[in-house]
Amino acid sequence: MKVTYICHECGYESPKWLGKCPSCSSWNSFVEVERKKGDFVLSMNEPLPYDEIDIAKWERIKTGISEFDRCMGGGIIKGSITLIGGEPGIGKSTLLLQVSHALEKKGFRVLYVSGEESPSQIKLRGERIGIKAKDIYILSETIWEQVEETVNTLKPDFLVCDSIQTIFSANLDSLPGSMAQVREVTSKIFNVSKKGGVTSFIIGHITKEGLIAGPKSLEHIVDAVLYFEGERFQSHRILRAVKNRFGAVSEVGLFEMEERGLTPVQNPSNLFLSDLAGKETGVSIYCGFQGTRPMMIEIQTLVSPTVYLGSPRRTTIGLDPARTSMLIAIAEKRLGFSFAGEDIFVNVAGGIFIDDPSSDLSLIASLISSKKNNPIPIGTIFFGEVGLAGEVRPARDSESRIKEAESLGFKKIVLPDKNLPKKGKFEIEMEGISHIRELYRLLKF
């Protein structure tokens, strides 16, 4: 028996206990792991010439669930491992049960391993969402060695583990759900997937900080990491790709939670838009991207006199707070506004997070609208990055944004002048600006 110590934050291994991890600088993060003989197998792979490497096996498998396929980069790669995290009750198990059903209908065999629910509980959920299947096998088991034996006997095409924190290896003395167990079982699943060609999905619990529980190396082992987000008491759900070795990161899939399960949202812009634009102050529409998809998103700003003298509040939801504070300072300096005695609240409607700087122009427009107490003209949308001097910088994929805005019936788009397309290419009215002073004059406040 060999004893090693593993940092549960980054997965660094040491032959002795250390107070501080030399890799990630975490304190008291090492846990003791005992490994039996045979846990490590030395293998030698021959180097292959680049032009002789076969990529035909990387053909994508489409489930037919459009939003899920989008997040997976267009489909599932055979032999890949996908980690899905989210809050309890958000719908992770429902999503993977529907994915299992979609794959079974295409002729694949699926083994669904649950360490949290009995087979009858899973079938009750399946009956509620209309699943009828013969080639989905449900196994209620928490010992990995038993799961591996079933995989070797049944030879499924797909393996679902719900959840990784409930499955443990008998080769380790650590408790189920511990950092060492999570890392060990994930490594075992990796071997099954890569050597046996079994495509795996792993459900992971998340911490109070909203991150997947377990060592950070867990996310390095898998091929894709998806976060399933949303409010438990609201109907819409957001599936977000934060890592994908076979597709674009930051891709977003949108679902509606209904009585019969999760339904893909065909027109996501409608999910984030209300009828307030053009009627209420501080409401602007941003024409941006979530992953590779153009989307219209509503940004709301409320500027009101503070009741806390000397320390007005700055609250931001859905945008980077530091960047929001910077844009407020730019508006003060370049437009001559003063927000010293006012609270400012900024919110992105629909619970989505925007990390694209091309949302700057829309945020400043909503800030001006709320400050001057005038609504933005109806049917107007914005995109463009704003610099410290107040200049409006160009954004990527401008023509895709314009095309999406035009197809949704918007009348006018305000954009960086360097992003103006050739005349006659689009019917929507376009106003190109180079500085936020031009935006202020354009809004006629």
Side-chain angles (χ1 to χ4, degrees):
M1 190 81 72
K2 181 183 178 181
V3 176
T4 58
Y5 294 86
I6 299 176
C7 173
H8 63 70
E9 295 293 336
C10 67
Y12 180 85
E13 292 191 18
S14 171
K16 62 180 182 179
W17 186 88
L18 299 173
K20 182 180 179 181
C21 177
S23 176
C24 66
S25 301
S26 298
W27 287 93
N28 298 321
S29 59
F30 280 87
V31 292
E32 182 180 311
V33 177
E34 292 185 355
R35 297 188 185 275
K36 295 180 180 178
K37 249 184 182 179
D39 278 359
F40 299 97
V41 179
L42 184 63
S43 64
M44 290 292 290
N45 292 319
E46 293 292 330
L48 295 173
Y50 181 84
D51 60 349
E52 293 181 14
I53 297 173
D54 181 21
I55 61 171
K57 63 179 182 178
W58 300 117
E59 183 181 354
R60 294 187 184 275
I61 302 167
K62 291 185 179 293
T63 64
I65 304 174
S66 57
E67 297 299 292
F68 180 81
D69 289 340
R70 173 186 289 275
C71 284
M72 294 299 295
I76 304 167
I77 298 293
K78 185 179 180 181
S80 63
I81 311 171
T82 302
L83 175 63
I84 300 180
E87 293 183 355
I90 207 69
K92 303 183 297 297
S93 300
T94 300
L95 174 65
L96 284 185
L97 196 56
Q98 289 184 231
V99 169
S100 299
H101 185 218
L103 292 168
E104 190 269 348
K105 287 195 294 185
K106 288 181 173 288
F108 296 105
R109 178 175 292 179
V110 182
L111 174 61
Y112 191 108
V113 180
S114 176
E116 301 180 345
E117 296 177 297
S118 66
S120 56
Q121 286 177 303
I122 296 171
K123 186 169 183 181
L124 279 172
R125 182 189 296 117
E127 292 290 314
R128 190 183 75 246
I129 60 179
I131 290 179
K132 304 288 182 184
K134 293 182 179 179
D135 229 6
I136 296 178
Y137 293 82
I138 308 298
L139 175 65
S140 182
E141 183 58 76
T142 56
I143 302 174
W144 168 252
E145 285 70 24
Q146 298 293 332
V147 174
E148 190 172 21
E149 186 177 334
T150 305
V151 170
N152 294 333
T153 304
L154 189 63
K155 299 189 183 306
D157 301 297
F158 290 84
L159 171 66
V160 177
C161 291
D162 184 7
S163 66
I164 191 65
Q165 280 80 12
T166 61
I167 301 173
F168 65 94
S169 172
N171 292 329
L172 294 182
D173 293 334
S174 304
L175 292 172
S178 66
M179 302 296 180
Q181 284 286 3
V182 168
R183 187 173 184 267
E184 181 74 7
V185 173
T186 306
S187 298
K188 299 286 188 182
I189 294 173
F190 177 87
N191 291 334
V192 166
S193 295
K194 299 305 177 183
K195 292 179 181 178
V198 179
T199 308
S200 302
F201 292 98
I202 303 171
I203 290 178
H205 294 163
I206 65 169
T207 63
K208 61 183 179 181
E209 289 83 16
L211 302 175
I212 294 175
K216 197 65 181 174
S217 59
L218 181 67
E219 297 187 22
H220 296 299
I221 294 172
V222 301
D223 297 307
V225 180
L226 309 180
Y227 278 87
F228 206 37
E229 306 167 351
E231 296 293 333
R232 238 186 305 177
F233 305 107
Q234 292 183 2
S235 61
H236 70 270
R237 302 285 188 270
I238 300 171
L239 185 64
R240 187 188 304 275
V242 296
K243 174 189 175 180
N244 193 345
R245 287 177 179 151
F246 307 109
V249 295
S250 299
E251 198 66 80
V252 168
L254 299 169
F255 295 87
E256 196 82 23
M257 178 64 86
E258 298 177 348
E259 187 178 348
R260 293 184 66 81
L262 292 158
T263 304
V265 176
Q266 301 301 325
N267 188 356
S269 293
N270 288 342
L271 193 64
F272 303 109
L273 298 180
S274 68
D275 296 329
L276 297 176
K279 300 176 183 177
E280 295 292 338
T281 63
V283 179
S284 71
I285 307 298
Y286 160 59
C287 181
F289 276 89
Q290 288 293 313
T292 59
R293 166 196 285 168
M295 196 180 297
M296 305 299 119
I297 303 170
E298 190 175 290
I299 297 178
Q300 302 173 342
T301 302
L302 177 63
V303 179
S304 62
T306 183
V307 294
Y308 302 96
L309 296 178
S311 57
R313 288 182 291 178
R314 301 288 187 263
T315 304
T316 304
I317 300 173
L319 288 162
D320 179 23
R323 190 166 189 88
T324 302
S325 296
M326 182 189 76
L327 292 170
I328 292 170
I330 291 170
E332 284 187 309
K333 179 72 174 179
R334 305 303 172 188
L335 297 178
F337 292 155
S338 175
F339 298 106
E342 294 171 313
D343 295 329
I344 301 177
F345 303 91
V346 178
N347 176 54
V348 178
I352 203 164
F353 186 87
I354 301 173
D355 55 6
D356 187 350
S358 67
S359 62
D360 293 352
L361 201 61
S362 183
L363 174 57
I364 287 186
S366 68
L367 189 67
I368 296 171
S369 170
S370 185
K371 172 71 175 177
K372 305 302 282 186
N373 206 31
N374 278 319
I376 292 169
I378 193 167
T380 305
I381 63 170
F382 308 84
F383 74 84
E385 181 183 351
V386 176
L388 289 177
E391 79 279 13
V392 180
R393 298 174 174 270
R396 67 178 179 93
D397 296 324
S398 58
E399 293 199 0
S400 297
R401 301 174 196 247
I402 297 168
K403 184 178 179 181
E404 180 71 7
E406 190 174 68
S407 67
L408 291 174
F410 286 93
K411 300 174 183 178
K412 186 176 184 178
I413 184 165
V414 181
L415 71 165
D417 56 1
K418 292 182 180 178
N419 282 139
L420 280 171
K422 293 180 181 178
K423 289 185 178 181
K425 194 167 186 178
F426 298 98
E427 295 182 3
I428 187 172
E429 182 186 350
M430 286 175 278
E431 287 282 355
I433 60 174
S434 59
H435 198 278
I436 58 172
R437 284 190 293 267
E438 297 173 45
L439 172 66
Y440 184 50
R441 290 195 293 265
L442 191 66
L443 294 174
K444 298 177 182 178
F445 291 161

